[in-house]
Amino acid sequence: MFKLNYKLINFLATISNINNLSFNYGSEIAILGYSNVGKSTLINILANKKISRTSKKVGCTKFINIFEVISGKRIIDFPGYGYTNFSKKDEKKTKKMLYDYIVSRVFLKGVLLLIDIRFLLKDIDREILNKLMLRKVSITIVLTKSDKVSSAKKNVQYECLKKEISMISDKISIIIFSSKIKIGMKKLINTINKNLSQ
Ligand SMILES: Nc1nc2c(ncn2[C@@H]2O[C@H](COP(=O)(O)OP(=O)(O)OP(=O)(O)O)[C@@H](O)[C@H]2O)c(=O)[nH]1
Ligand SMILES: [Mg+2]
């Protein structure tokens, strides 16, 4: 099985405009999700070092950060949607950029859509899932911050999401995850390995 060493992750570039995205070779996986769900933290946990800035405050990541595991295998940390310190106009621009990326980027092989386990899907997550349905990319929903709920609540939220997702596609997998207490790491790593092996 194809395996990557995530301790080797390196920062490649920060871009504010998707049109400036070069690296037109290999494959990439995008980390998407609402503001503050734990996207940058997940990358840091994977890398076992602080390579992506995180914050308690929402809207921490304002640009697209590109990381490389090995040549041609990239992980892309997107700014969170739903809340930004940007003006309405910039927020609209950011959303358009994300949609252009997920609809047309040929090197995109997989998406990790991060959702806070306490709140489940928001309308914008549903919009993104619908856009992704137009493409042949692997989609995994990562239920983050699972350390914040009881085991019983974890199951309730998982089943609730599964039910909604089954109406969209039977190909979307779900991982219960926590960066804080490292739940779901193995499944996460297997998923990224699989996506980046393409
Ligand atoms: N309890 C708990 N806190 C977490 C977990 N993952 C992230 N956090 C915290 O959530 C906050 C936001 O994390 P980030 O990784 O910056 O979130 P983000 O999705 O990158 O946020 P934006 O860049 O603003 O979109 C930070 O205070 C993290 O420490 C987790 O699994 N459990
Ligand atoms: Mg971030």
Side-chain angles (χ1 to χ4, degrees), residues 50-174:
K50 201 165 163 50
I51 49 169
S52 195
R53 231 183 110 224
T54 62
S55 167
K56 281 199 173 67
K57 281 201 246 156
V58 288
C60 173
T61 308
K62 297 207 174 54
F63 301 107
I64 298 166
N65 290 315
I66 305 161
F67 300 92
E68 181 180 68
V69 192
I70 52 168
S71 179
K73 306 287 178 197
R74 295 176 298 277
I75 297 180
I76 320 278
D77 184 14
F78 270 81
Y81 41 75
Y83 176 91
T84 62
N85 289 329
F86 296 156
S87 63
K88 277 269 168 268
K89 192 173 147 218
D90 280 346
E91 197 183 323
K92 224 169 142 187
K93 201 176 107 194
T94 308
K95 195 167 149 186
K96 184 180 179 305
M97 213 162 65
L98 170 61
Y99 286 180
D100 287 348
Y101 172 86
I102 59 180
V103 168
S104 62
R105 178 77 172 161
V106 292
F107 306 98
L108 177 68
K109 303 298 175 192
V111 167
L112 298 182
L113 181 63
L114 271 55
I115 312 276
D116 188 317
I117 196 164
R118 295 167 297 172
F119 311 124
L120 298 182
L121 293 178
K122 295 183 189 289
D123 283 344
I124 187 159
D125 298 314
R126 295 186 180 99
E127 242 177 73
I128 287 177
L129 284 172
N130 286 329
K131 289 224 180 285
L132 285 167
M133 285 298 107
L134 307 171
R135 296 211 38 194
K136 260 202 196 149
V137 296
S138 141
I139 306 168
T140 305
I141 296 184
V142 180
L143 287 174
T144 63
K145 306 196 184 183
S146 68
D147 55 281
K148 287 192 181 255
V149 296
S150 66
S151 306
K153 179 82 176 168
K154 234 178 263 176
N155 290 335
V156 170
Q157 295 297 79
Y158 176 84
E159 291 303 329
C160 183
L161 176 69
K162 209 169 123 191
K163 199 169 160 202
E164 180 171 355
I165 289 302
S166 68
M167 287 184 268
I168 304 174
S169 162
D170 57 359
K171 293 203 175 70
I172 301 174
S173 42
I174 306 171

